[in-house]
Amino acid sequence: MTVSVFLLAGNAPAFAAAQLDAVPRAQDSRASDSAALRRAARSGPAARRIQALRAMGRIQSAAYADAVIAQLGDPDPAVRTEAAFALGQLVMVESPEDDASAAAKLSALRARAGRALMPLAKSKDPAVRGAAVEALGKTGAASSQEALLKALQDAGAPVRGEAALALFRSRYLKLVPEYSTAAVNALLAAFKDPDAGVRWRAAYAFSRWGEPRAAEALARAAADEDMWVRLFALRALGQFKKEAPLDPLLKAMKDPEAAVRREA
C-alpha cells in the first residue's frame, strides 16, 4: 500500500501536466468533440477553464455549445466573460447553403445562444456585459437587437462601443438584411456620445454600405474633433459614390491628419 501511494504521489505532477497539455493539444488538432476540453472548462483553476473555453471558441464546433453555455453561469466573472466570447465564436460560422438540415441546426443554435447571452448583457460586471453584447451581434437572434439598442445607452463607454460594433457585425455577417429604423436612430444618437471611442464605432457601423438615412449626420461627423470619427465618417460617405456630399470631402482634404486626408 505504501509503495502504491508513493508511486501515485510521485506521478501526480506528470498527471497534472498531462491534463493541462490536453487543452492545447485539442486546440491544435481542432478536436471537434473533446471530452478533455469539456472537463477542463468546468473544473480546475479559473485560468484552466478560460483556456479550455478559448480553445472551444477557436475550434468553433457546435458540439461544445452545452459546455460553453454552462460556463455562462461560472462564479468567476473572467470565466463568464470568456464563455460569452466563445459562444459568439461558435455561432459565427457561415450557414451552409446546400444543407438545409445543417442550416436549420445553426439557426436554432444562434437563437439558443441569444437567449443564453441575454442575462449577461445585464450583468453588473462591465467586462461580462461587453463580452455578452459583442457575442449577441454574432447570433442574429431577433431578440438580441433590442438588447443591443439598450446597450448603446449603457453606463460604460466600452459597452456602448461594443454595442455599436455588434449592430455592425450582425449586418456584416448578413444576419440581418439591413439596419432597422431603430438601429439607425440609435447609432446616429451615438454620434453625440461624449466618448470618442463610441462615436467612431458608430460611424464605422455605416462604413460598408451607403445609408441614406445617415447621410446628414455623417457629413457633420466628418468635422468631429476626433480623427477616427472623421476618418470613418468620410469612409461611410464614400459609399455613396457620386451622390456623396462634396462639402465635407473638400474640407477633409485640408485636415491636419494625413490619414483623414487620404480617406477624403
Side-chain angles (χ1 to χ4, degrees), residues 73-89:
D74 194 280
D76 191 308
V79 177
R80 296 199 299 275
T81 297
E82 193 66 43
F85 179 77
L87 186 55
Q89 292 300 100

Side-chain angles (χ1 to χ4, degrees), residues 69-116:
I69 289 174
Q71 294 313 115
L72 294 176
D74 194 280
D76 191 308
V79 177
R80 296 199 299 275
T81 297
E82 193 66 43
F85 179 77
L87 186 55
Q89 292 300 100
L90 291 189
V91 299
M92 198 177 70
V93 294
E94 289 188 18
S95 182
E97 297 180 357
D98 56 349
D99 189 335
S101 176
K105 289 180 180 178
L106 177 58
S107 179
L109 178 57
R110 284 172 173 165
R112 182 187 175 198
R115 292 192 297 271

